[in-house]
Amino acid sequence: MGYGQVCLRRGEDSGIRAGACWIFDNELDWADDVCRDGDVVDVLDSRMRFLARGFFNSHSRIAVRVLTMDQSEEIGRDFFRRRIAAAWEFRRSLGFSDSCRVVFGEADGLPGLTVDKFADCLSFQIVSLGLERWKDEIVQILAELFRPRGIFERDDLPVREKEGLPQQKGCVYGTVPDTLEIREHDARMLVSIENGQKTGHFLDQQENRGRLKPYVGGRTVLDLCCCTGGFSIHAALYGAAAVEAVDVSEDALALTRRNAVLNGVEDRITTTCANVFDLARAYAAEGRQYGAVICDPPAFAKSRKVLDSAYRGYRELNLQCMKLTAPGGFLVTCSCSQFMTPELFWKMLREAAADSGRRVRLLESLLQSRDHPAALFAEQSLYLKGYILQIL
């Protein structure tokens, strides 16, 4: 099978040879006349040697998303089935079964595709024009491999517009209920695939929520940006004396309360609808303190342009969280902004600790759950980082 060809500028091939997954438009020298947006193309180096094969889009800054570096590997239905099956088998080998991320884009050799499993339903997102053309086949493959009750499309994200794709969502196979129950460690959690954050639930914190157990027993807990209560429910199940779950979304808090009832911990969880910045400052000014504080805000830095202001926001919020932590207590703090690198996040925490006047020591480093593996040459795939700190 023949493919159109694109050629890299001289000296632009080292990244791809090392394992980079994206080729940007300013790295291309030319594309031949048969290349069409969304097509699979062969990538050549400046000496006209084959480098890789991937999806082409001349209207995106990401001109090529690499699928394979094997010239003998044809891109078709069998290719996608092999990649999805391998991704699922890897998660199963790690012990995931009920709910997890099944496909994580570049890390699984399927750039632009995300697939999450929630009990017997699936949720997916596509952010690549090339993959969009294979959507029907991908849905069929998912149905064959998982035999789910339903598959839901959550392509209601603005980044699709950069590929020339519309935002849309809906059930594309079988039926998906308004809410369904999943298992996380000892917790039972209700998930809304249609209206929840991301593809329905923050699976990337699944393993970190299980790491709360040594830090919350008998303590009062403040959970900021709790969403639907993942950390709150686990804290209560692990013996917290009382948990205050805070979020700006009343819909998220309503699901938190339902999750509390489902797990039999409604007597120890209260919910507060508030802006966490305002609430943290007010509580700190009042002198309130908690045995453990959890701070897991949404991404403040969604682009490099706003990184400076996002950095200041993280520092201010973490400063207040340190003040709100009782002496000897624990702060679990995270960032899901890919542009807030681990180095920047650590620098910010040191500054916040200095401003707080408290001694702080590191107990654990946190990353996204193992079902979200990061490709070393795809920086955007390593986005979640965090620490468990003791505030003295």
Side-chain angles (χ1 to χ4, degrees):
M1 181 177 181
Y3 298 100
Q5 295 181 332
V6 300
C7 184
L8 294 179
R9 295 180 186 275
R10 184 176 180 180
E12 296 289 0
D13 58 317
S14 59
I16 298 301
R17 294 187 192 282
C21 304
W22 291 353
I23 297 172
F24 294 97
D25 53 1
N26 61 355
E27 296 173 322
L28 290 185
D29 188 12
W30 51 261
D32 66 25
D33 292 342
V34 301
C35 292
R36 298 290 182 269
D37 292 338
D39 283 354
V40 175
V41 299
D42 281 347
V43 180
L44 311 178
D45 67 12
S46 60
R47 297 174 64 181
M48 301 296 289
R49 296 173 300 189
F50 176 87
L51 271 179
R53 183 168 289 153
F55 286 128
F56 175 70
N57 189 348
S58 66
H59 290 93
S60 171
R61 183 163 181 260
I62 305 171
V64 180
R65 296 176 187 260
V66 174
L67 294 166
T68 183
M69 296 181 69
D70 181 353
Q71 191 170 7
S72 67
E73 191 165 30
E74 300 290 343
I75 308 303
R77 192 181 194 279
D78 289 345
F79 169 86
F80 294 111
R81 196 181 197 283
R82 286 196 307 272
R83 290 284 171 97
I84 294 171
W88 173 228
E89 183 55 35
F90 169 67
R91 271 69 175 183
R92 292 177 65 191
S93 74
L94 296 179
F96 293 99
S97 58
D98 181 82
S99 301
C100 67
R101 176 145 296 177
V102 173
V103 176
F104 189 37
E106 287 77 7
D108 288 302
L110 290 166
L113 177 64
T114 298
V115 181
D116 284 344
K117 181 178 184 293
F118 298 106
D120 60 354
C121 291
L122 299 174
S123 175
F124 74 90
Q125 291 180 334
I126 290 175
V127 296
S128 159
L129 175 61
L131 267 179
E132 181 78 7
R133 295 186 175 181
W134 288 91
K135 182 167 66 178
D136 290 344
E137 286 84 354
I138 288 170
V139 170
Q140 292 171 11
I141 291 166
L142 293 173
E144 292 169 8
L145 290 175
F146 293 90
R147 300 191 180 279
R149 174 170 32 158
I151 302 175
F152 202 93
E153 179 181 8
R154 279 299 304 267
D155 281 327
D156 52 335
L157 59 170
V159 70
R160 278 173 57 91
E161 296 173 4
K162 295 180 179 180
E163 289 278 311
L165 298 171
Q167 295 188 48
Q168 56 197 31
K169 68 177 182 178
C171 186
V172 295
Y173 173 87
T175 60
V176 175
D178 292 337
T179 57
L180 70 158
E181 182 181 321
I182 68 169
R183 298 287 304 190
E184 273 193 7
H185 310 289
D186 300 316
R188 301 163 63 190
M189 300 294 297
L190 294 174
V191 171
S192 172
I193 291 181
E194 180 175 2
N195 298 310
Q197 295 288 328
K198 290 191 173 180
T199 57
H201 182 68
F202 288 109
L203 289 169
D204 51 8
Q205 289 281 24
Q206 181 173 181
E207 292 185 316
N208 292 335
R209 287 190 275 266
R211 297 168 80 169
L212 282 181
K213 195 169 188 176
Y215 307 107
V216 297
R219 296 178 179 272
T220 57
V221 176
L222 178 65
D223 183 8
L224 299 175
C225 302
C226 70
C227 195
T228 57
F231 279 110
S232 293
I233 301 301
H234 281 78
L237 289 173
Y238 293 151
V243 180
E244 181 177 357
V246 182
D247 201 274
V248 72
S249 167
E250 182 54 50
D251 289 340
L253 293 176
L255 203 50
T256 298
R257 292 189 289 270
R258 290 178 62 189
N259 282 325
V261 172
L262 184 64
N263 287 275
V265 294
E266 66 272 21
D267 59 326
R268 282 179 286 142
I269 294 181
T270 59
T271 60
T272 302
C273 189
N275 177 292
V276 294
F277 280 95
D278 296 339
L279 179 134
R281 290 191 196 99
Y283 278 9
E286 294 171 12
R288 296 197 194 192
Q289 289 193 321
Y290 298 79
V293 176
I294 300 163
C295 182
D296 183 24
F300 294 162
K302 294 186 177 180
S303 70
R304 295 188 190 279
K305 294 179 181 178
V306 299
L307 183 56
D308 288 345
S309 61
Y311 184 95
R312 292 191 295 271
Y314 279 115
R315 184 173 59 195
E316 170 64 19
L317 184 56
N318 278 274
L319 168 62
Q320 301 307 325
C321 287
M322 290 176 184
K323 293 179 180 179
L324 287 167
T325 306
F330 305 102
L331 170 60
V332 180
T333 181
C334 302
S335 167
C336 59
S337 297
Q338 71 174 83
F339 300 106
M340 189 71 168
T341 63
E343 294 78 14
L344 270 181
F345 193 61
W346 183 244
K347 177 176 180 288
M348 174 278 297
L349 287 173
R350 293 180 66 182
E351 292 175 2
D355 291 344
S356 74
R358 307 282 295 278
R359 286 195 304 121
V360 179
R361 57 185 183 183
L362 170 64
L363 303 181
E364 293 192 51
S365 297
L366 306 177
L367 289 173
Q368 58 220 42
S369 181
R370 290 171 299 157
D371 55 335
H372 293 62
L376 292 187
F377 289 91
E379 293 181 2
Q380 73 284 356
S381 69
L382 177 58
Y383 64 96
L384 180 62
K385 77 291 299 180
Y387 298 101
I388 300 177
L389 307 173
Q390 187 176 35
I391 313 299
L392 302 172

